[in-house]
Amino acid sequence: MRRALGLVLLAVLLFPGFSWAQEIRLNVGNAAGPEQISTTLQVLVLLTVLSIAPAILLMTTGFTRIVIVLSFVRQAMGTQQMPPNQVIIGLSLFLTFFIMAPVLDQINDTALQPYIKKQINQEDALFLAVKPLREFMLSQTTEKEIGLLLDIAGREAPANRDELSTMTLVPAFMLSELKRAFQMGFLIYVPFLVIDMVVASVLMSMGMMMLPPVIISLPFKILLFVLADGWNLVISSLVRSFY
């Protein structure tokens, strides 16, 4: 934490042209005591965390798996931009909040609320907030990905899960999420691929080789998806894959 605060202060001193940097320097210079300086630095750290919140959302939650699988569904059906990207991102975001609700509640109860009530300091709050996220990532990460990163870094395997570095756990979790997302995407592609092959074979047997099979197969793929209640199947499979 001290190292992070030092880097933030260095950025403030090196980039005085920004208005926010000048304001922070002015507040620090006019501070009447250490408490005011500490408050200013806490606000700066909070703004820094908010600026990297999208990256945290991508790297430490199930958002990556969800958005990739939903994108595979759209590509497998061949509906181009239907549903639009905004719909896929929005649905992925709210499904992520739904899946991560127990973890967020635990962070709020064990870290955020005690910190707001001044029962714990900032370092303890950060440690307690990271712990539920680590437990979630560990439950979704395979040993193969962890072993791969430890082998690349030339490190020995930790004695237990608590000794595993978060900087190693996060990329291992991302690799596991990508692997599972592509596995689910392959299973989604199979029935639609069968329809494309059947339609293409029928058109060739009828001598209609100039007619693109996609034009004929698209309505059948949409019909299959609707009759099979595809969205419920995909969403339920996605959510259950995290438990």
Side-chain angles (χ1 to χ4, degrees):
M1 180 60 65
R2 294 179 179 178
R3 183 178 298 178
L5 291 176
L7 293 175
V8 171
L9 283 175
L10 180 61
V12 171
L13 295 175
L14 291 179
F15 300 97
F18 296 102
S19 59
W20 59 269
Q22 293 177 350
E23 183 176 355
I24 292 174
R25 292 179 62 195
L26 182 61
N27 292 335
V28 172
N30 297 333
E35 296 182 355
Q36 294 185 5
I37 296 178
S38 177
T39 303
T40 302
L41 293 180
Q42 290 178 4
V43 173
L44 181 58
V45 171
L46 178 61
L47 293 176
T48 304
V49 172
L50 291 176
S51 66
I52 62 175
I56 296 176
L57 177 65
L58 288 174
M59 294 186 296
T60 60
T61 66
F63 180 83
T64 301
R65 186 193 307 184
I66 296 171
V67 73
I68 290 177
V69 171
L70 293 181
S71 298
F72 269 122
V73 172
R74 183 177 65 181
Q75 293 180 9
M77 287 193 298
T79 53
Q80 301 300 326
Q81 295 298 321
M82 289 295 150
N85 290 331
Q86 294 85 345
V87 175
I88 291 180
I89 297 298
L91 180 59
S92 302
L93 187 62
F94 279 96
L95 283 177
T96 301
F97 290 148
F98 176 78
I99 294 169
M100 299 297 297
V103 178
L104 297 177
D105 291 339
Q106 187 176 356
I107 293 175
N108 181 66
D109 296 337
T110 61
L112 182 59
Q113 293 301 324
Y115 177 71
I116 293 176
K117 297 176 182 178
K118 298 183 179 180
Q119 297 175 353
I120 56 177
N121 57 30
Q122 192 175 35
E123 292 184 2
D124 292 337
L126 181 60
F127 174 79
L128 293 173
V130 171
K131 188 175 180 181
L133 282 177
R134 283 177 54 89
E135 291 296 329
F136 172 79
M137 289 188 289
L138 284 169
S139 66
Q140 303 297 323
T141 307
T142 61
E143 295 182 358
K144 183 178 180 180
E145 277 69 29
I146 296 177
L148 172 64
L149 292 176
L150 290 175
D151 182 65
I152 293 174
R155 301 175 184 175
E156 297 182 357
N160 52 59
R161 297 168 55 175
D162 295 333
E163 295 182 2
L164 180 64
S165 172
T166 304
M167 299 301 295
T168 303
L169 176 59
V170 172
F173 170 73
M174 289 292 294
L175 288 176
S176 297
E177 289 296 285
L178 290 173
K179 180 179 179 180
R180 285 194 178 94
F182 275 77
Q183 289 173 347
M184 298 180 70
F186 170 77
L187 296 177
I188 290 172
Y189 252 99
V190 171
F192 297 108
L193 181 61
V194 171
I195 295 177
D196 286 332
M197 293 176 62
V198 170
V199 171
S201 300
V202 172
L203 291 177
M204 290 184 64
S205 64
M206 296 175 61
M208 304 175 65
M209 292 179 293
M210 300 301 295
L211 180 64
V214 177
I215 298 178
I216 306 300
S217 64
L218 179 58
F220 289 100
K221 290 191 286 187
I222 295 177
L223 179 62
L224 172 65
F225 194 74
V226 172
L227 293 178
D229 204 1
W231 286 116
N232 282 349
L233 290 175
V234 172
I235 298 303
S236 62
S237 300
L238 268 173
V239 175
R240 294 178 189 275
S241 66
F242 288 95
Y243 298 101

